Amino acid sequence: MGVVDQVGDGVTDFAVGDEVLGTSLTPAYAQAAVADAGAGALVAKPPAIPWEVAGALAVSGGTAWTVLERLKAVQGETLLIHAASGGVGTFAAQLAVARGARVIGTASQANHERLRELGVLPVGHGEDLAGQVRAIAHEGVDAVLDASGRGEIPLSIELAGGPERVLTLVAFDAAPLGIQVHTDGPSGNGVRALHDILLLIGKGRLQVPV
């Protein structure tokens, strides 16, 4: 994200001074970065969204959007998110709720009320996690997103009825169990994700904690 400083020949969608979000061709943790406007890598930053909020959208928001696509989470399904009050978890929970999914989220007790405000059914960590989840979803869940890495993968596979729709962002050593391991952030979905996220923010259906 940043402010356009220069534009190349033939660039008409953006002008010097525009505030933009998206992905760059060069490392983005820098004073200046290069983006390919022709590849659809950028979107305009709405004036109403402050920079401290915009800073989380492309990476955390884009990653959450991408993993929901990989999990094929759809309306009417039940999704379990480990660490639902974390950076990616908060986005994934709200995006899934917006899709019409029922979301169960693990979090510390202090974050339960916050998750309820986002439309998430909160459960605590610990030995009784399976019982807490089954009390809500008696037959288990359709998919699991692990953003925690606290050792919940075997239980997640059990609750999902197999490893195919269990995805982790952090438990890399669990790959031999047949689950999905995601390490590529938004992948190539940055702009598509940003369009959806900005639309939901504009409708008041997605909140970004700073």
Side-chain angles (χ1 to χ4, degrees):
M1 66 178 187
V3 178
V4 176
D5 183 60
Q6 298 180 41
V7 295
D9 294 339
V11 175
T12 57
D13 292 336
F14 301 100
V16 173
D18 286 351
E19 297 179 340
V20 295
L21 305 174
T23 56
S24 63
L25 292 171
T26 56
Y29 291 107
Q31 293 281 12
V34 177
D36 185 353
L42 299 175
V43 298
K45 182 184 83 65
I49 295 181
W51 285 112
E52 60 268 26
V53 170
L57 303 185
V59 178
S60 294
T63 299
W65 191 95
T66 296
V67 297
L68 290 181
E69 289 290 296
R70 288 190 58 176
L71 284 170
K72 298 180 174 61
V74 297
Q75 182 176 356
E77 292 193 322
T78 299
L79 172 67
L80 172 61
I81 300 178
H82 296 300
S85 62
V88 174
T90 299
F91 277 103
Q94 294 179 87
L95 290 170
V97 168
R99 291 182 177 205
R102 178 171 62 164
V103 179
I104 302 172
T106 70
S108 62
Q109 187 67 38
N111 290 312
H112 282 197
E113 185 57 36
R114 171 64 175 162
L115 289 180
R116 291 189 187 97
E117 293 172 355
L118 300 179
V120 178
L121 301 168
V123 295
H125 304 289
E127 295 181 359
D128 191 38
L129 178 56
Q132 294 180 75
V133 173
R134 290 195 183 279
I136 300 170
H138 306 298
E139 303 299 322
V141 301
D142 297 293
V144 181
L145 167 60
D146 170 42
S148 166
R150 295 188 178 186
E152 301 99 335
I153 297 300
L155 174 60
S156 299
I157 293 173
E158 176 188 339
L159 290 169
E164 294 80 14
R165 296 187 69 191
V166 176
L167 183 149
T168 185
L169 301 174
V170 285
F172 308 126
D173 58 343
L177 298 176
I179 66 169
Q180 301 182 58
V181 177
H182 183 78
T183 61
D184 197 22
S187 301
N189 300 309
V191 170
R192 293 173 61 200
L194 284 171
H195 278 300
D196 285 355
I197 290 168
L198 292 172
L199 181 63
L200 290 172
I201 291 175
K203 292 181 177 180
R205 298 181 63 190
L206 193 151
Q207 302 176 33
V208 183
V210 178

